[in-house]
Amino acid sequence: PGNDMFGYLLFQRHALSSDNRGARGAAVGERPPPRLHVFDFAQGWKPIVARVAELSNRTIQFQMCNLKEPLQEDSRDSSTNQSILEFLDAASHDSSPVVFLFCYVLSEVMGPYGNTPPLLEDLFMYHTSRGNGALFLFREPHTQALQTLLSRHEDWYEGRDFWNLSNGGIMVWMSP
């Protein structure tokens, strides 16, 4: 996730400059920067994320998660994904945009034709029922996993809910 986080930071710096205007007319640069958190099952990414944080002079949190488990809002104390709930609760109290980067996650967890991971579906539901909305960026080595995700969400429309990105990626906007 280090490369993708660094890529997002470059995108934010160059594409979302204060010269660009957001939907409400406020300069994008005047909005608070997004909270940067990396949630991953592999603890080995933590030092790489720390290095990206150091090089970018940004605070980037790293916490464990398990995409194969649901968000489990009813049992926070026993959830592997408790840190995600805490992140979502904190983000819902301010106007910081929420951006999720998923890199090779679909291919690793669901394979080309499997079911969407429960945590991911719960995150989609969370952001359509409450919160400030969220941007989900998916990068995959094989486009079949992306097509499988899209086929599970036939109510999503290209150009409104999702956008195809070059070289195996999609961007999905979830709003209440």
Side-chain angles (χ1 to χ4, degrees):
N3 288 338
D4 298 292
M5 180 65 69
F6 195 70
Y8 173 77
L9 290 169
L10 288 174
F11 168 77
Q12 180 185 341
R13 179 185 300 161
H14 295 290
L16 303 179
S17 69
S18 61
D19 294 337
N20 295 326
R21 296 275 167 192
R24 296 193 178 128
V28 174
E30 295 170 7
R31 296 182 189 152
R35 296 170 181 263
L36 301 176
H37 292 258
V38 173
F39 299 101
D40 202 298
F41 190 71
Q43 188 74 9
W45 287 111
K46 188 173 184 174
I48 295 168
V49 171
R51 183 70 173 138
V52 171
E54 179 185 333
L55 291 171
S56 63
N57 199 28
R58 293 286 304 268
T59 300
I60 304 174
Q61 301 293 324
F62 181 92
Q63 287 117 357
M64 297 290 291
C65 80
N66 187 345
L67 285 163
K68 294 180 179 181
E69 292 184 13
L71 196 53
Q72 299 177 347
E73 291 185 273
D74 297 335
S75 59
R76 289 179 185 223
D77 55 342
S78 64
S79 174
T80 304
N81 298 322
Q82 180 177 354
S83 57
I84 295 176
L85 284 169
E86 292 167 0
F87 165 76
L88 293 172
D89 288 345
S92 68
H93 297 309
D94 63 31
S95 60
S96 296
V98 178
V99 178
F100 291 98
L101 299 173
F102 291 95
C103 313
Y104 290 47
V105 169
L106 300 176
S107 299
E108 291 175 359
V109 176
M110 68 184 240
Y113 302 104
N115 292 325
T116 309
L119 175 61
L120 190 54
E121 288 296 337
D122 286 352
L123 288 173
F124 291 156
M125 290 292 280
Y126 181 93
H127 288 289
T128 55
S129 63
R130 61 182 166 232
N132 301 327
L135 183 67
F136 292 82
L137 298 170
F138 295 93
R139 303 297 296 175
E140 293 294 328
H142 309 289
T143 58
Q144 184 58 52
L146 298 171
Q147 295 305 317
T148 300
L149 173 64
L150 293 174
S151 73
R152 304 274 191 268
H153 296 276
E154 294 178 353
D155 57 328
W156 290 356
Y157 292 98
E158 187 171 4
R160 183 193 74 185
D161 303 304
F162 76 93
W163 295 262
N164 284 300
L165 306 174
S166 63
N167 298 318
I170 60 171
M171 179 172 60
V172 178
W173 172 249
M174 303 301 290
S175 62

